[in-house]
Amino acid sequence: MFSPTGFPECLREWEDLEKSFHQIQDTHRLYKQKLEDVTKLQDSCSGAIARQRKKLEELTASLGKCKENHPAARLSPEDVDAIAEMEASIKERADAFSEMEAFLPKKNGLYLSLVLGNVNVTLLNKQSKFAYKDEYEKFKLVLTVILFVLSFTCRLLFSYRALDALFNFLMVWYYCTLTIRESVLISNGSRIKGWWVLHHYVSAFQSGVMLTWPEGALYQMFRNQFLTYCLYQSVVHFLQYYYQSGCLYRLRALGEKHNMDITVEGFQSWMWRGLTFLLPFLFFGHFWQLYNSVTLFQMFQLPECKEWQVVMCSCSYMVLFMGNFFTTLGVVYEKYMNNPDKSKAL
């Protein structure tokens, strides 16, 4: 880097810096003007979408009245076809508006408003959305590895309540962080199934209950089963990460995937090979949650049981089992029905 040694050189350097500074000022002034223009365009687009949605709702209601007041026998075939075409176009337009709104600022939901306030979390270009989505997936992978190592340490190497508490605290922080990150993803157009969001709230609650469970005979009775389950859960999460990442990247390359999705919504026949490998691990984990719930409920019936954490963990595991099991069944059924080659699917 050039460093002036004499006054003439310093003077020339200052003149160059002056010119550069004025260019920076001009560029920054243009930048602020563009920001104002973008804000005006955002408001204009959001308002136009809201107005057209309202008019489409009114048109839909009017078309319904037309069909009620004028049965198909009184309408000409051309009118019936025109009504059907308009109704189909209205449904398609609703999806188009959702895609547009993914790139427009919107008000935060209740949860994000409580956590972050009115901070705008909308990412306004595809590169930012891809970067945030990829960072989210990497965050899950890194924490999965850390939780695996920590649960392995607690289960097989050291049996200290303080280390168990550290593990459960990390679980609480992890699931709470996921709920925030997923709310940001939803605000940016991600179509996450409702149960998977609720699952993380329930898991955060269950981990918090485990964190407050005091040391005692009942805690030690359930400790090894709980830590072994956590080890297995980390392995399943690791497998899920690679399955979902592979599907998402391939579908993006094919241009057939919404860029902010997490769970697999669209489905192709080539996905069955990975899914059929993963399903036994998923269902085994679901039934392990049921086993945990039953074990804790039996412990709750013991005369020496005084801790409220026992029944709360039992209820939490039962909710997780039912939600995971039936949602997974529903997803598999949906994917199978949408698979164009059902005869070779399984």
Side-chain angles (χ1 to χ4, degrees), residues 221-258:
M221 188 183 302
F222 183 66
R223 178 181 181 274
N224 287 342
Q225 180 176 326
F226 167 71
L227 291 172
T228 305
Y229 163 76
C230 290
L231 277 170
Y232 180 81
Q233 187 181 43
S234 296
V235 173
V236 173
H237 287 171
F238 188 77
L239 295 174
Q240 281 181 298
Y241 168 80
Y242 276 100
Y243 168 74
Q244 292 178 351
S245 295
C247 290
L248 286 169
Y249 280 118
R250 184 164 178 177
L251 284 168
R252 283 176 186 170
L254 294 172
E256 299 178 7
K257 189 63 179 158
H258 192 272

Side-chain angles (χ1 to χ4, degrees), residues 24-280:
I24 292 172
Q25 282 185 316
D26 293 337
T27 303
H28 188 261
R29 194 177 298 110
L30 179 62
Y31 165 72
K32 290 196 297 182
Q33 181 61 46
K34 294 294 184 184
L35 276 182
E36 292 177 2
D37 293 341
V38 167
T39 302
K40 291 178 182 177
L41 285 172
Q42 289 171 347
D43 294 340
S44 175
C45 194
S46 297
I49 290 174
R51 288 191 296 272
Q52 180 145 146
R53 271 201 168 127
K54 184 177 180 180
K55 290 182 178 179
L56 288 175
E57 290 176 1
E58 295 172 353
L59 178 59
T60 301
S62 299
L63 289 175
K65 291 179 181 179
C66 287
K67 289 192 293 185
E68 291 177 1
N69 298 332
H70 302 282
R74 298 183 182 179
L75 292 173
S76 66
E78 292 79 8
D79 292 338
V80 173
D81 292 340
I83 291 175
E85 185 177 347
M86 280 190 287
E87 289 176 337
S89 298
I90 289 172
K91 292 180 181 178
E92 292 176 359
R93 196 159 297 180
D95 294 334
F97 286 151
S98 297
E99 292 288 337
M100 293 179 189
E101 288 175 333
F103 294 90
L104 293 171
K106 60 179 68 68
K107 291 183 179 180
N108 293 337
L110 177 62
Y111 181 60
L112 277 182
S113 296
L114 292 173
V115 175
L116 302 177
N118 293 323
V119 177
N120 179 27
V121 296
T122 305
L123 304 172
L124 301 181
N125 59 71
K126 287 186 176 181
Q127 290 76 16
S128 298
K129 291 177 184 287
F130 282 140
Y132 188 83
K133 173 63 176 62
D134 290 338
E135 196 275 334
Y136 167 84
E137 296 290 355
K138 290 175 183 176
F139 169 79
K140 290 200 299 183
L141 178 63
V142 170
L143 264 294
T144 295
V145 173
I146 294 174
L147 290 170
F148 175 83
V149 172
L150 196 53
S151 59
F152 179 86
T153 303
C154 292
R155 176 66 178 86
L156 300 175
L157 301 181
F158 303 104
S159 181
Y160 298 124
R161 185 66 183 88
L163 194 59
D164 292 356
L166 176 63
F167 172 72
N168 285 308
F169 176 79
L170 184 60
M171 291 275 283
V172 173
W173 176 81
Y174 170 61
Y175 284 118
C176 289
T177 304
L178 281 186
T179 60
I180 298 173
R181 289 174 178 250
E182 286 174 349
S183 296
V184 174
L185 285 168
I186 291 172
S187 294
N188 284 277
S190 183
R191 299 173 292 184
I192 307 173
K193 283 187 177 293
W195 164 249
W196 303 127
V197 178
L198 181 60
H199 171 275
H200 291 146
Y201 288 98
V202 177
S203 297
F205 172 79
Q206 187 267 330
S207 299
V209 174
M210 286 296 301
L211 178 63
T212 62
W213 193 343
E215 176 71 22
L218 291 177
Y219 176 81
Q220 290 297 328
M221 188 183 302
F222 183 66
R223 178 181 181 274
N224 287 342
Q225 180 176 326
F226 167 71
L227 291 172
T228 305
Y229 163 76
C230 290
L231 277 170
Y232 180 81
Q233 187 181 43
S234 296
V235 173
V236 173
H237 287 171
F238 188 77
L239 295 174
Q240 281 181 298
Y241 168 80
Y242 276 100
Y243 168 74
Q244 292 178 351
S245 295
C247 290
L248 286 169
Y249 280 118
R250 184 164 178 177
L251 284 168
R252 283 176 186 170
L254 294 172
E256 299 178 7
K257 189 63 179 158
H258 192 272
N259 56 26
M260 292 296 284
D261 281 352
I262 291 176
T263 54
V264 178
E265 297 293 340
F267 204 70
Q268 308 289 336
S269 59
W270 51 265
M271 295 181 188
W272 276 107
R273 181 171 54 186
L275 185 64
T276 51
F277 169 78
L278 186 60
L279 281 177

